[in-house]
Amino acid sequence: VTEGVIAPDLGGRAYFSQWCTAGVFDADMYLVVPLLGKTVQFTVDLGGAGCGCNVAFYFTAMQTNPNAGACADHYCDANDVCGARCDEVDVMEANSKVFRSTLHRSQDNVGGSVGYGGTGPHTQTWTRNEYGPGSSCIDTNKPFEVKAHFPTHEVNNKTVLQGMMIDLSQDGASCEDGLTATVGWYKFGGDDAIVALTQALRKGMVPMVSYWSSKEMGWLDGRDINGELPCAADTPDSCPLRGPKFSNFSVQNFTGWLHASTMNLSPKPKKTAKAVDDDVDADGGSTATAVGRSGVGGAVPVLVQPSGVAAMAGDRLLEPVQLAGGWLQVYQNDDPSKAYFFNPGTSQTTWDRPAEATDGGRRQQAGAETCCNDCAGALHQVSLANHELVLCAELMYALANTCSPEL
């Protein structure tokens, strides 16, 4: 820390504290910041941290952890990193290619997430055109401002958390209004997890920064919901030993007003459109966007695989499965044992299968497997000829369980 600037070393984590004594850690020493109804603001310079790097600013309720734990400093989070769990608010986990914000209940390592990049349940709210090196709204080669708002509203005569709203802005950007992403829907264990986080934010949480790397950072910078691939591979060895910087921290009352409709700012499914060839840059970025295809029952949201990416050796996605109620079953990191559920129409994501997606969706999926096993080869050839990867399960939906390659 130098003159109010925090510059973490790679592999480091720094807590905000009321006082510091070298080698001494006590749960009472940490700075506790009430977040309910507040706006947290800071400046970040990613310092060249790219694919495989994670630059984070976040809060956890670690002041509530009486045990020093495996890390000997009372640290806790929703991922049980040091052997203790607590509520967690990730304002940013980012590198030069991606940016994600997440709310976590203490037992939920997945959480409710928004932003750009990676697998797992989240709402994609912008693309590489708006965020990344040389992008129009946030050029990650330069410092930018981050604001996290925690507005409240009244539910059953009680003041509760309405969600987390993230604003990114940058001086001189051609995108004057910056970028906005909002976690306005988050369910866990059948409960409204946003409301459940109200008390933790009212009592306050400990702010901290961290900077780490991994060759398995695909959950953050891998293929996104609309098919974009920010990072084709993670290269942790390229993360600077000291690069990112945080500065200009402030906490103030949230003085704005948010209508309930603004708590769901994610893009709606695009109208039917032909897929086009997409270039893949040296870092794996792609300009692919989500499109819709008309079929039986109306427009079906489709994840497009850019032809350039489809041609990459050994790269084959486990495609989303269309379920009842407009839900898609999506496989995290192409792992069939790890599925989450995404509803493009409402921008909702959940780790648990929604009740309305259960029966009809399973029957439909079974039909898709039979259909696609019979003609997967023919469909694959047709899809490549059209420069678009056809999703087998969604074809079943669109073709009403028929299997005609000509369609």
Side-chain angles (χ1 to χ4, degrees):
V1 180
T2 304
E3 297 181 353
V5 177
I6 299 177
D9 292 332
L10 183 61
R13 185 169 62 230
Y15 314 120
F16 286 54
S17 181
Q18 301 177 79
W19 67 87
C20 298
T21 302
V24 176
F25 297 96
D26 188 290
D28 294 331
M29 69 189 293
Y30 297 117
L31 179 67
V32 179
V33 178
L35 296 175
L36 195 66
K38 302 293 184 179
T39 292
V40 177
Q41 182 174 353
F42 58 92
T43 302
V44 63
D45 182 345
L46 294 172
C51 297
C53 314
N54 187 325
V55 182
F57 176 82
Y58 61 114
F59 294 83
T60 80
M62 62 183 290
Q63 80 280 6
T64 65
N65 181 21
N67 301 313
C71 297
D73 57 6
H74 298 268
Y75 180 78
C76 59
D77 62 13
N79 283 282
D80 199 22
V81 170
C82 296
R85 290 184 178 273
C86 60
D87 293 333
E88 178 178 348
V89 174
D90 298 329
V91 173
M92 69 166 277
E93 290 185 277
N95 59 42
S96 63
K97 299 287 188 176
V98 297
F99 190 106
R100 290 271 291 275
S101 303
T102 310
L103 295 176
H104 293 273
R105 292 303 315 279
S106 61
Q107 299 300 314
D108 182 15
N109 67 324
V110 176
S113 184
V114 294
Y116 168 52
T119 58
H122 72 284
T123 298
Q124 180 176 344
T125 41
W126 52 76
T127 71
R128 64 175 296 195
N129 294 324
E130 293 80 42
Y131 179 95
S135 296
S136 61
C137 293
I138 302 296
D139 178 356
T140 54
N141 292 321
K142 305 174 183 177
F144 58 93
E145 303 296 319
V146 180
K147 290 183 181 179
H149 310 288
F150 301 95
T152 63
H153 61 164
E154 299 295 317
V155 176
N156 298 326
N157 297 319
K158 294 182 179 180
T159 300
V160 298
L161 179 66
Q162 190 180 6
M164 176 173 66
M165 186 172 183
I166 303 296
D167 286 332
L168 307 184
S169 61
Q170 188 172 58
D171 289 341
S174 59
C175 177
E176 294 182 0
D177 294 330
L179 298 177
T180 299
T182 306
V183 182
W185 187 97
Y186 170 32
K187 296 291 181 69
F188 178 69
D191 298 326
D192 186 329
I194 291 179
V195 172
L197 283 167
T198 297
Q199 279 301 100
L201 271 67
R202 178 178 284 123
K203 292 179 179 178
M205 306 178 83
V206 177
M208 62 196 75
V209 300
S210 68
Y211 174 42
W212 58 286
S213 63
S214 172
K215 63 181 180 181
E216 297 180 351
M217 201 74 76
W219 60 270
L220 176 67
D221 56 24
R223 194 179 306 280
D224 210 331
I225 290 173
N226 76 346
E228 287 189 76
L229 186 62
C231 294
D234 288 318
T235 54
D237 291 343
S238 67
C239 298
L241 295 179
R242 179 178 290 181
K245 295 182 176 68
F246 296 86
S247 60
N248 302 322
F249 296 95
S250 68
V251 180
Q252 52 197 321
N253 291 330
F254 175 70
T255 56
W257 177 81
L258 295 177
H259 188 275
S261 63
T262 67
M263 296 305 290
N264 182 0
L265 298 177
S266 59
K268 302 303 178 185
K270 309 293 184 185
K271 295 180 179 180
T272 301
K274 284 188 176 181
V276 297
D277 282 341
D278 297 294
D279 294 328
V280 178
D281 64 22
D283 289 312
S286 165
T287 57
T289 56
V291 299
R293 183 189 294 112
S294 297
V296 177
V300 181
V302 176
L303 178 67
V304 174
Q305 172 110 341
S307 59
V309 177
M312 292 171 61
D315 184 35
R316 188 178 189 281
L317 292 176
L318 289 174
E319 305 301 349
V321 176
Q322 182 74 47
L323 303 177
W327 289 90
L328 295 176
Q329 179 172 311
V330 185
Y331 298 102
Q332 185 179 31
N333 295 327
D334 292 346
D335 185 342
S337 68
K338 297 179 180 179
Y340 68 93
F341 303 90
F342 171 62
N343 191 319
T346 63
S347 298
Q348 296 173 334
T349 55
T350 177
W351 203 247
D352 301 318
R353 180 186 290 267
E356 65 270 26
T358 301
D359 294 331
R362 284 177 177 168
R363 288 194 298 269
Q364 203 171 53
Q365 182 179 352
E369 291 170 354
T370 301
C371 167
C372 293
N373 286 338
D374 291 341
C375 65
L379 289 175
H380 181 65
Q381 293 300 320
V382 170
S383 70
L384 292 182
N386 292 333
H387 304 293
E388 179 177 351
L389 183 66
V390 178
L391 305 187
C392 197
E394 291 181 356
L395 270 179
M396 176 278 303
Y397 182 87
L399 302 178
N401 286 328
T402 64
C403 217
S404 172
E406 288 74 25
L407 296 179

